[in-house]
Amino acid sequence: MKNIPVYMDCFYETTHMRSIDNHDIELVKIKVPFDNDDVVKEWASSFRKKFISNVDLNDMIVATQAASPYKFLTDYIYPDKVSGNIVRIGDFDEILVADYLMFIRNYWIPSLLTRYSQKQNKDKSTMGTDIFAIKLADKSISNNPKDELCICEVKTGFSDKAKKRLTDAVLDVNKDNVEIADRRASVSLAATMLTLKRRSDISPSYIDQIRRFQNPLDNPFKESYLAAAVIDETQIRRKSLEAVPTVDSPHKENLKLITFHGEDLKKLMDALYGEFGVSDLE
């Protein structure tokens, strides 16, 4: 049985609304107990491990003679607050949504194992689809046509431009199509599979689960698409959400829309990139 982190209790309420195109929009409320250090530490540690494991971090501290674990993270791993601010925000929102899909919606997110830990430049985003999520209908049945691949695009808003971020996510996910080999989704799948094949700690069965989605013509599966926005409570506007265009989307029949909203989400981002992320190191 999957262990769900305590911090996932912060995703505590889901409501629904309809757009002018009569498309369902889920609204997921996030409420962070900033006065509870244990919860924030657990969340920050989980967040940091998407970038670098305890073992690798300890090794690199010795190799670089870094002044502290956190100093190594800010110098070499985490996007810079100024030059890499857009990437910093983008990585934060992708990981937040990926955690939700993994722990609440029961998807497997193989890109979490590679997307942030394999960067060559910490201030640049990894190319390709933001998130691809896998759900196997029955692990005992090979290439089950009910297996699902969900392609996700995520946008974040902390400024007055935030009201259009769900629309931006829809426009980006419209560019993806898993049935066309040169589209971003297919490229991301292949790149993740090749990277995981080189790792000794990854089971061959995991690789097969990704490979199963490489050829939709011979091995059909269920496709779904998700456009998600992470918006601070002060910037969310119901009219802007209602106006999100989906009628011309090539994926409108299997497109899901989610807006994550809450107070002080920028404060949450800063906390996850903060020193709490190394509080579990010996």
Side-chain angles (χ1 to χ4, degrees), residues 102-117:
M102 183 165 55
F103 292 114
I104 305 301
R105 297 298 178 89
N106 296 315
Y107 285 93
W108 178 46
I109 319 287
S111 53
L112 281 180
L113 299 171
T114 63
R115 185 168 175 83
Y116 311 100
S117 61

Side-chain angles (χ1 to χ4, degrees), residues 159-228:
S159 68
D160 57 0
K161 296 179 180 179
K163 58 187 179 182
K164 294 185 178 180
R165 295 310 270 159
L166 186 58
T167 292
D168 294 338
V170 170
L171 295 177
D172 268 7
V173 83
N174 287 346
K175 302 173 186 176
D176 283 315
N177 189 329
V178 298
E179 294 182 354
I180 301 176
D182 63 349
R183 292 298 181 97
R184 298 182 306 162
S186 298
V187 171
S188 297
L189 274 170
T192 299
M193 186 177 73
L194 289 172
T195 300
L196 292 179
K197 283 182 68 176
R198 302 186 188 106
R199 289 177 45 166
S200 60
D201 61 330
I202 300 298
S203 166
S205 64
Y206 276 23
I207 306 300
D208 289 340
Q209 288 179 25
I210 303 174
R211 182 183 288 110
R212 176 264 174 279
F213 294 96
Q214 288 290 296
N215 188 346
L217 295 180
D218 293 339
N219 301 312
F221 51 83
K222 178 183 176 183
E223 298 173 30
S224 65
Y225 296 82
L226 171 66

Side-chain angles (χ1 to χ4, degrees), residues 36-231:
N36 188 327
D37 284 355
D38 289 340
V39 172
V40 180
K41 284 179 179 179
E42 180 197 43
W43 202 339
S45 175
S46 174
F47 181 84
R48 187 265 301 167
K49 288 172 183 173
K50 309 294 196 304
F51 291 85
I52 187 169
S53 68
N54 284 6
V55 171
D56 288 344
L57 180 53
N58 281 322
D59 284 348
M60 292 308 298
I61 292 168
V62 174
T64 63
Q65 297 184 326
S68 70
Y70 185 62
K71 186 68 166 61
F72 178 82
L73 289 175
T74 55
D75 285 349
Y76 297 100
I77 302 297
Y78 288 157
D80 186 79
K81 286 185 177 181
V82 179
S83 60
N85 188 51
I86 293 176
V87 177
R88 179 183 174 89
I89 293 171
D91 288 354
F92 159 74
D93 65 34
E94 290 171 13
I95 292 173
L96 185 146
V97 173
D99 271 354
Y100 177 81
L101 293 175
M102 183 165 55
F103 292 114
I104 305 301
R105 297 298 178 89
N106 296 315
Y107 285 93
W108 178 46
I109 319 287
S111 53
L112 281 180
L113 299 171
T114 63
R115 185 168 175 83
Y116 311 100
S117 61
Q118 301 296 318
K119 285 187 177 185
Q120 297 298 311
N121 185 330
K122 70 188 185 79
D123 291 332
K124 288 188 177 182
S125 294
T126 303
M127 299 299 291
T129 299
D130 290 346
I131 302 168
F132 64 87
I134 288 171
K135 186 181 291 185
L136 300 182
D138 187 340
K139 291 185 179 181
S140 66
I141 301 175
S142 178
N143 295 337
N144 191 325
K146 293 182 180 180
D147 293 343
E148 180 184 356
L149 176 65
C150 181
I151 303 303
C152 315
E153 289 292 336
V154 189
K155 300 295 180 184
T156 296
F158 297 135
S159 68
D160 57 0
K161 296 179 180 179
K163 58 187 179 182
K164 294 185 178 180
R165 295 310 270 159
L166 186 58
T167 292
D168 294 338
V170 170
L171 295 177
D172 268 7
V173 83
N174 287 346
K175 302 173 186 176
D176 283 315
N177 189 329
V178 298
E179 294 182 354
I180 301 176
D182 63 349
R183 292 298 181 97
R184 298 182 306 162
S186 298
V187 171
S188 297
L189 274 170
T192 299
M193 186 177 73
L194 289 172
T195 300
L196 292 179
K197 283 182 68 176
R198 302 186 188 106
R199 289 177 45 166
S200 60
D201 61 330
I202 300 298
S203 166
S205 64
Y206 276 23
I207 306 300
D208 289 340
Q209 288 179 25
I210 303 174
R211 182 183 288 110
R212 176 264 174 279
F213 294 96
Q214 288 290 296
N215 188 346
L217 295 180
D218 293 339
N219 301 312
F221 51 83
K222 178 183 176 183
E223 298 173 30
S224 65
Y225 296 82
L226 171 66
V230 180
I231 302 176

Side-chain angles (χ1 to χ4, degrees), residues 219-243:
N219 301 312
F221 51 83
K222 178 183 176 183
E223 298 173 30
S224 65
Y225 296 82
L226 171 66
V230 180
I231 302 176
D232 192 85
E233 198 72 41
T234 59
Q235 303 297 334
I236 194 167
R237 300 291 185 271
R238 188 177 183 89
K239 286 186 177 179
S240 296
L241 293 178
E242 289 176 342

